[in-house]
Amino acid sequence: MLAKIFSGATVGLDSIPIEVEVDVAASGLPSFTIVGLPGKAVEESKERVRSAIKNSGAQFPDRKITVNLAPADLPKEGPAYDLPIALGLLIASGQIQADLTEALVFGELSLDGSLRHTNGALPLVLLTRERNFKQVFLPVVNAKEAAIVGGVKIYPVRTIKHLIQHLTNLKEIKPHRHLKFNTLKSSVDFMFDMLDVVGQEHAKRALEIAAAGGHNLFMHGVPGAGKTMLARAFASILPQLSKEEALEVTKIYSISGNIPPGESIIKHRPFRSPHHTSSRIGLIGGGTKPKPGEISLAHRGVLFLDEFPEFPRHVLESLRQPMEDGIVQISRAVGTMQYPTKFTLVAAANPCPCGYYGSKKKPCTCLPGQVSRYRKKLSGPILDRIDLHVEVPEVKLKKLTSDKPTGEKSKTIRQRVQAARMQQRVRFKGTNIITNAEMSSKQVRKFCPLDPECKSLLTSATAQMGLTARSYFKVINVARTIADLAGKEEIATKHLAEALQYRPQEEII
């Protein structure tokens, strides 16, 4: 007898339907064969399925069993096919009868028949809705993650026995209620508040602009000036994710298995801080079976690279294309994967190996050649892709010893940032961009018109500062964000003048 169950495979961030065909032959020697380019984890599902069926009180058919995963030319990876294979075996052997033509099934089995957490649940449930399936059967631990998708009945399954009872009308599995994005609780304790940072008002202003427009930021200064603390506090002024952004981020975290236990959807912007010993694959993504790297895990959030020049040069150079295009394409023998990389880069660096070049408090012990080599670790093309360059000077003793905090709380700054983001959302409605930093040169001309006075100022500055074409448009981008923070519809000369302050001078570190 033949049974057909629908499941899905995740390719990159998207999922495609997989037909799990199970045939239990009436004759032939007992065997269990899986065809359709199964990976090692799929091959091993034979033993998991056998034990799970027996330990659930059902009978494992002692016949010739053939399982086909179609389409046969697509490699199948992971343990998500355990549940559809087991369910197909039970139907094909005549132990249960069920019409599952409008259902999608996936889940990893334990030997006792219970279901484990399975990566990639959100993309698979989105596939269910796109292909007009009516219901999905999945592990109970994945139910909250899947319930954010409306229009589909989510059936959380604890064990195979639980599912058998539901399909035979002995004990119904109640569908999980749909979770609305706006009703989900959103609370997080930030490590630092902007009020905790002593002084550095110029750097705080740059961080506010970066948060409002999604601009890349580079901070350079002596050790102990507060660069790392500023970067950590940066997370506290970022606006909340919209539903569309949250779904994008959650899909990445779902396929990589990084969704926190008990969470249904990622509601806060990611903050990733890889160590400078991270490999290129760890940062960009890849591997034998391509997976998202740190730049994709930081999508719609922050990628903080502390000790920026200490990263290997080839690793930093691999950031150039993802920073420019907002996507990274990873090609391997098994296929080509594409992941989004629209992150805000926050980088921090010392001025020299010892860190005290130019310090007024401590002499630099580096030789001139060491300083030069240290600075050459950062190429011009990488630095040209960074919108805001800020020097973080030493904090004055008077400010350190003061008991009275200076500056604003993160909550106050975040309200201005959120208001600026709302203006951008209205401005870019109907386009595929969300923030000012994502504008191309064509879109800059469309959305950021300049009056003659502004054009004159920018022309003069471009000639004097030797700005590249990319830098020219980045200055306008930043000026547009500054105007948004001020609640202005038009870019004024003061907005351009402030934006020009954040371009690097002759010596950037």
Side-chain angles (χ1 to χ4, degrees):
M1 186 176 175
L2 178 67
K4 184 184 290 185
I5 307 293
F6 291 99
S7 189
T10 302
V11 180
L13 285 186
D14 299 317
S15 294
I16 61 173
I18 299 294
E19 293 183 13
V20 181
E21 299 174 318
V22 182
D23 179 61
V24 178
S27 61
L29 294 174
S31 62
F32 194 169
T33 306
I34 300 178
V35 296
L37 288 183
K40 185 66 174 174
V42 182
E43 281 283 353
E44 291 175 346
S45 70
K46 291 185 288 189
E47 301 307 319
R48 290 194 297 271
V49 168
R50 188 192 308 271
S51 296
I53 288 178
K54 289 181 177 179
N55 291 328
S56 299
Q59 184 180 357
F60 187 83
D62 193 18
R63 296 181 183 179
K64 182 180 179 181
I65 301 168
T66 305
V67 177
N68 179 40
L69 306 177
D73 60 346
L74 178 73
K76 318 300 187 305
E77 300 291 345
Y81 304 102
D82 290 3
L83 184 58
I85 291 173
L87 191 54
L89 274 172
L90 293 171
I91 295 174
S93 61
Q95 297 182 61
I96 60 174
Q97 293 182 351
D99 180 12
L100 297 174
T101 55
E102 294 186 338
L104 187 135
V105 184
F106 66 90
E108 177 186 351
L109 287 172
S110 296
L111 297 184
D112 62 357
S114 61
L115 274 82
R116 298 179 182 272
H117 180 274
T118 305
N119 293 344
L122 181 60
L124 289 171
V125 177
L126 289 170
L127 169 70
T128 305
R129 187 174 65 180
E130 290 166 8
R131 294 304 178 101
N132 295 319
F133 288 104
K134 304 298 182 185
Q135 51 195 2
V136 57
F137 294 93
L138 45 62
V140 66
V141 290
N142 289 108
K144 285 185 70 177
E145 176 187 341
I148 197 69
V149 180
V152 180
K153 284 188 177 180
I154 308 295
Y155 288 97
V157 182
R158 295 186 181 277
T159 63
I160 287 186
K161 186 175 182 180
H162 192 201
L163 182 55
I164 293 172
Q165 290 174 338
H166 172 78
L167 295 175
T168 55
N169 298 318
L170 293 175
K171 188 178 180 181
E172 182 186 4
I173 298 176
K174 293 183 178 179
H176 197 291
R177 65 181 180 86
H178 171 56
L179 299 177
K180 293 183 179 180
F181 181 76
N182 294 332
T183 61
L184 296 175
K185 292 183 179 179
S186 176
S187 61
V188 62
D189 293 325
F190 295 106
M191 187 181 298
F192 296 105
D193 192 281
M194 280 294 180
L195 194 62
D196 299 328
V197 182
V198 178
Q200 308 301 3
E201 302 305 326
H202 182 58
K204 289 180 183 178
R205 172 63 175 172
L207 287 169
E208 181 180 343
I209 296 169
H215 302 287
N216 298 323
L217 172 71
F218 179 43
M219 296 182 288
H220 49 94
V222 298
K227 301 185 296 294
T228 302
M229 192 173 182
L230 281 163
R232 298 288 180 184
F234 183 60
S236 66
I237 66 171
L238 293 173
Q240 278 198 345
L241 291 166
S242 66
K243 183 178 179 179
E244 294 74 21
E245 291 175 312
L247 284 173
E248 289 178 18
V249 175
T250 306
K251 283 172 70 174
I252 299 170
Y253 277 64
S254 179
I255 65 171
S256 59
N258 285 320
I259 293 183
E263 291 288 332
S264 60
I265 192 169
I266 305 294
K267 288 204 70 175
H268 295 282
R269 296 188 181 273
F271 186 94
R272 307 294 297 186
S273 180
H275 193 260
H276 62 259
T277 56
S278 297
S279 66
R280 187 181 62 83
I281 289 177
L283 199 65
I284 302 301
T288 307
K289 300 169 187 175
K291 293 291 183 183
E294 289 290 338
I295 61 174
S296 295
L297 293 171
H299 180 62
R300 298 299 180 192
V302 179
L303 179 69
F304 174 45
L305 300 183
D306 204 1
E307 306 299 338
F308 198 37
E310 297 299 335
F311 283 81
R313 182 168 179 132
H314 73 279
V315 172
L316 293 181
E317 292 304 306
S318 64
L319 289 174
R320 286 160 58 171
Q321 181 263 332
M323 287 172 65
E324 192 78 11
D325 299 339
I327 57 171
V328 61
Q329 189 164 292
I330 303 168
S331 297
R332 296 290 184 270
V334 295
T336 299
M337 306 295 177
Q338 187 171 284
Y339 298 112
T341 59
K342 292 181 179 178
F343 58 88
T344 298
L345 174 67
V346 177
N350 295 322
C352 66
C354 81
Y356 294 99
Y357 182 85
S359 171
K360 297 178 181 179
K361 296 182 178 180
K362 197 171 182 179
C364 175
T365 59
C366 301
L367 297 175
Q370 290 177 302
V371 177
S372 177
R373 284 192 297 272
Y374 186 76
R375 292 177 175 175
K376 285 181 180 178
K377 289 183 178 181
L378 301 179
S379 69
I382 279 288
L383 294 171
D384 198 41
R385 284 169 167 80
I386 298 177
D387 307 26
L388 305 168
H389 295 253
V390 182
E391 182 179 359
V392 183
E394 294 165 311
V395 182
K396 294 181 180 179
L397 182 61
K398 184 178 179 181
K399 289 187 176 181
L400 278 175
T401 55
S402 174
D403 295 329
K404 190 176 180 180
T406 59
E408 296 177 295
K409 290 184 178 180
S410 290
K411 184 178 179 180
T412 306
I413 300 173
R414 187 166 61 247
Q415 289 173 349
R416 292 199 298 268
V417 169
Q418 189 71 54
R421 284 287 181 106
M422 288 302 296
Q423 291 184 51
Q424 294 167 54
R425 186 169 292 277
V426 172
R427 179 183 301 126
F428 302 131
K429 188 176 181 180
T431 69
N432 61 347
I433 62 175
I434 296 176
T435 62
N436 290 331
E438 297 175 44
M439 285 191 289
S440 64
S441 56
K442 182 179 179 180
Q443 290 165 329
V444 169
R445 291 190 178 96
K446 177 181 178 181
F447 294 111
C448 306
L450 300 178
D451 60 30
E453 192 176 356
C454 288
K455 285 183 179 179
S456 175
L457 171 62
L458 190 54
T459 302
S460 226
T462 301
Q464 292 181 18
M465 299 173 68
L467 299 181
T468 63
R470 182 187 288 112
S471 296
Y472 175 89
F473 288 108
K474 283 192 177 296
V475 169
I476 302 175
N477 277 357
V478 174
R480 178 64 268 172
T481 301
I482 295 170
D484 288 341
L485 283 169
K488 303 297 183 182
E489 291 292 332
E490 304 294 334
I491 298 175
T493 52
K494 62 180 180 181
H495 303 141
L496 273 173
E498 183 178 358
L500 286 165
Q501 293 178 21
Y502 299 113
R503 294 312 302 167
Q505 305 303 316
E506 291 184 5
E507 292 186 345
I508 51 171
I509 61 171

